[in-house]
Structure formats: C-alpha cells, structure tokens
Amino acid sequence: MSIEVMQAIKVDESFYKVKEVRRLTDETFSLRLPKSRFRFHAGQHISLGIQGDYQSREYSIYSGENDEHLEVLVKEVKEGYFSPKLSHLKPGDWVEVNGPFGKFRIDEKKIKDHKFVFIASGTGIAPFRSMVRTYPELDYQLIHGVRYGHEAYDKEEYAPERHVLCTTGDKTGQVNGRLTKYLKKATFDKNTQFYLCGNSNMIFDALELLKNKGFDRDQIHCEVYF
C-alpha cells in the first residue's frame, strides 16, 4: 500500500458524522458521534474540529468506554469563535476527531480498596461521567460546583447519596456557595484518590484545602480547563 493511500485512509478515519446534538441547558449541549472505531480510556480528551474550519478545540470525553456513541460536553461561549459553531451542527454534519490524549484516568489497581472523590466545576464534570459509566463498581463521591441548579448535567445518572451539588447563583444545591465551602467542612478517608477538573482557580483552592487536610500530592490528580 502506498504512503498516499495510507494517508488518505488515516484522514478519512478522523472524520465522524454527527449523530445528535443533545441540549442540556440553553448554553450547554452534548455532541454525540459514532464510536465504532474509536478507543479511549475514561478521563481522556479529544481534539475536535469542524470540517472546512481551520480551528479545533480540546474536550474531555463525556461518554463511557462501553457506550455505543462518543460524546463530548460543550458550553457555548456566545462571544467565542468555536463553540457557537459546534452548537449549530446538525445530525449528518462532519467533524474531525483526533486523539485520544491525556493521562487523567483511573488506576484500575486501586478500584477495589480505594475511595474516589471527583471534584468538578461546570463542564469539568465530563471526565467523571465517563469514569462512573465505565466503572460502575467505583466507590465514589462527586462534588459539582455550578452557578445554577439546572446546570447539574445529567444529575439523574448519579446515586443521590454520591452527588453533592454546590450552587452559587441559587439555593437549589445541597450547598449554597462554592464547592470549596463544602470541602472545608468535609472529611475523607485516608485511602481516597482525588480527581479535580475545571477552572484553575477552583483547582488551586481545592489543592490547598486537601493539602491542609493532610493528603499527599500523589493522591490528587488534576485536569485544568482554563
């Protein structure tokens, strides 16, 4: 097989037809693509582009490893360049997918004898939904910080006793305030693995709180969105 043919096949394999644009709020949606030939580990991210456009963006994978589709979670930034274009995609449109990338993933050897605490702000919940769907046996707690309660994306998928919602813009969450307010008062087992994903301010503040509670840096795994 010639190099030209091999390159053509590789290019073709990176394009996927949109299956569904699933609206979660006025600003946030998930983009579902066929998963057929795509393999990844829960927690990883992809680079997503639109056919004919010169830009791409990275998004954590929102679906589980065994789901029948590949899904990402996107919050539309009205004044942005890329996310508004994604929000206008329709089933049958083409996108380019590259990856997967990243080492933000579960250590499977620790599942049986460790607890897992997932700490997310906004759409930083994406890799944790992937992890929960991939490993149903996980002993986990999900702490999700958002502005309003309706931004608790796919909340019904998590057991109520494992899901802590922190809201700053209304009082619909279990905690009225930033998720760090909850972290300050919470106690965690010493054999806990912490996974943090979201904006840098939240991650820096949470890191400091966990450090002050006596947890080692090798127990804390971070994925910074911005």
Side-chain angles (χ1 to χ4, degrees):
M1 187 180 294
S2 70
I3 293 176
E4 290 80 5
V5 172
M6 290 175 67
Q7 288 175 336
I9 291 173
K10 185 173 178 59
V11 167
D12 180 63
E13 285 183 347
S14 66
F15 284 94
Y16 291 71
K17 269 188 181 180
V18 174
K19 290 177 66 176
E20 181 184 0
V21 180
R22 186 168 65 99
R23 283 281 162 189
L24 300 177
T25 71
D26 288 343
E27 296 178 325
T28 309
F29 58 94
S30 81
L31 196 66
R32 284 182 169 173
L33 312 170
K35 174 172 171 279
S36 56
R37 57 187 180 266
F38 196 87
R39 297 292 178 267
F40 66 94
H41 295 292
Q44 290 188 299
H45 61 274
I46 60 171
S47 173
L48 188 64
I50 299 172
Q51 188 176 31
D53 199 284
Y54 66 94
Q55 289 201 22
S56 63
R57 295 288 187 277
E58 292 185 343
Y59 294 96
S60 290
I61 298 170
Y62 193 49
S63 47
E65 290 178 21
N66 302 312
D67 289 351
E68 63 182 16
H69 48 259
L70 178 65
E71 187 171 13
V72 295
L73 182 65
V74 181
K75 184 167 186 178
E76 182 178 355
V77 180
K78 296 297 183 183
E79 66 274 15
Y81 172 83
F82 197 73
S83 60
K85 290 190 173 187
L86 287 180
S87 73
H88 287 100
L89 290 174
K90 296 179 174 58
D93 288 342
W94 290 91
V95 293
E96 184 176 5
V97 175
N98 286 294
F101 306 107
K103 297 179 180 179
F104 188 68
R105 51 182 292 197
I106 294 287
D107 182 348
E108 295 182 354
K109 296 190 295 293
K110 294 180 179 177
I111 291 177
K112 286 186 178 180
D113 57 3
H114 283 72
K115 295 181 182 297
F116 293 81
V117 171
F118 300 140
I119 302 171
S121 59
T123 55
I125 196 175
F128 304 136
R129 180 178 182 259
S130 181
M131 291 173 181
V132 169
R133 292 177 71 84
T134 299
Y135 303 107
E137 71 274 28
L138 273 184
D139 185 358
Y140 77 92
Q141 181 185 39
L142 172 62
I143 304 166
H144 190 197
V146 294
R147 192 168 183 190
Y148 301 111
H150 68 269
E151 296 172 311
Y153 310 119
D154 291 310
K155 179 182 178 181
E156 69 282 355
E157 296 189 12
Y158 310 100
E161 67 273 13
R162 296 185 180 278
H163 185 277
V164 179
L165 184 66
C166 307
T167 55
T168 57
D170 62 29
K171 296 183 178 180
T172 58
Q174 291 100 311
V175 177
N176 179 217
R178 294 181 65 208
L179 63 80
T180 47
K181 178 181 178 180
Y182 175 80
L183 285 180
K184 286 176 184 176
K185 297 179 179 179
T187 57
F188 304 103
D189 287 359
K190 289 299 180 184
N191 68 335
T192 299
Q193 292 285 307
F194 296 91
Y195 286 75
L196 285 59
C197 185
N199 68 73
S200 57
N201 289 334
M202 179 279 285
I203 287 180
F204 294 147
D205 291 346
L207 277 171
E208 189 67 22
L209 285 168
L210 294 175
K211 177 183 173 184
N212 291 340
K213 288 179 181 288
F215 292 101
D216 295 331
R217 187 62 182 85
D218 61 3
Q219 292 178 264
I220 307 170
H221 316 271
C222 302
E223 184 89 328
V224 183
Y225 269 19
F226 52 85

